[in-house]
């Protein structure tokens, strides 16, 4: 089936940048929405950004203007460019994919209905 593999995490000082990648192996009709989510220790998983199969993206308020979600030329690759990193951006970052239609590609929809999740990549931002 479909597997999602994230990479690009690491440790960074506040103000720095990182670019995360997610490669999807396999294909499913239920992948019209892809996104990034994160989970800090002791906190619930939260949405960061999503992008639909048409390229429309939306972001959590906490990352607007700093993070950019995009797809590679190969549709099976997803990126998250993270700039102006803050300590509160620290967490495990997960790639997710799902939905049979791009019409409802929103953070709060995908987090509840994702068909596929990656194993995560750790991002640590120090002050």
């Amino acid at each position: 089936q479909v597997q999602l593999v994230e990479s690009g995490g690491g440790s960074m000082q506040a103000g720095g940048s990182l670019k995360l990648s997610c490669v999807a192996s396999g294909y499913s009709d239920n992948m019209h929405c892809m996104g990034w989510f994160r989970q800090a220790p002791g906190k619930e998983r939260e949405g960061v950004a999503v992008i639909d199969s048409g390229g429309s993206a939306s972001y959590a308020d906490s990352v607007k203007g700093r993070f950019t979600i995009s797809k590679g030329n190969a549709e099976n690759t997803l990126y998250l460019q993270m700039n102006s990193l803050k300590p509160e951006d620290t967490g495990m970052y997960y790639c997710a994919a799902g939905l049979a239609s791009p019409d409802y590609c929103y953070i709060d929809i995908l987090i509840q209905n994702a068909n596929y999740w990656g194993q995560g990549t750790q991002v640590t931002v120090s002050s």
Side-chain angles (χ1 to χ4, degrees), residues 1-7 21-28 30-37 45 71 75-79 93-99 110 113-121:
Q1 272 283 7
V2 175
Q3 286 190 324
L4 304 178
V5 179
E6 304 95 334
S7 63
S21 300
C22 171
V23 178
S25 61
Y27 175 77
S28 167
N30 294 322
M31 289 178 61
H32 284 272
C33 183
M34 297 185 74
W36 290 96
F37 299 83
R45 191 172 296 189
K71 290 186 174 181
E75 282 295 312
N76 65 337
T77 306
L78 184 71
Y79 300 106
Y93 281 69
Y94 299 92
C95 173
L99 306 187
L110 185 60
N113 296 281
N115 299 100
Y116 310 103
W117 289 91
Q119 293 299 308
T121 185

Side-chain angles (χ1 to χ4, degrees), residues 29-35 37 49-58 96-115:
D29 286 338
N30 294 322
M31 289 178 61
H32 284 272
C33 183
M34 297 185 74
F37 299 83
V50 295
I51 186 167
D52 67 26
S53 50
S56 295
S58 58
L99 306 187
S101 165
D103 293 346
Y104 299 100
C105 186
Y106 303 109
I107 286 173
D108 57 343
I109 299 296
L110 185 60
I111 196 170
Q112 297 290 336
N113 296 281
N115 299 100

Side-chain angles (χ1 to χ4, degrees), residues 7-85:
S7 63
S11 296
M12 178 63 61
Q13 286 198 324
S17 298
L18 280 173
K19 186 173 185 177
L20 306 184
S21 300
C22 171
V23 178
S25 61
Y27 175 77
S28 167
D29 286 338
N30 294 322
M31 289 178 61
H32 284 272
C33 183
M34 297 185 74
W36 290 96
F37 299 83
R38 67 188 182 189
Q39 188 167 17
K43 294 188 177 181
E44 291 187 356
R45 191 172 296 189
E46 64 176 4
V48 175
V50 295
I51 186 167
D52 67 26
S53 50
S56 295
S58 58
Y59 298 88
D61 288 343
S62 59
V63 306
K64 279 181 182 177
R66 299 189 298 122
F67 290 10
T68 303
I69 189 171
S70 63
K71 290 186 174 181
N73 289 333
E75 282 295 312
N76 65 337
T77 306
L78 184 71
Y79 300 106
L80 185 69
Q81 177 67 47
M82 306 187 294
N83 298 328
S84 302
L85 284 162

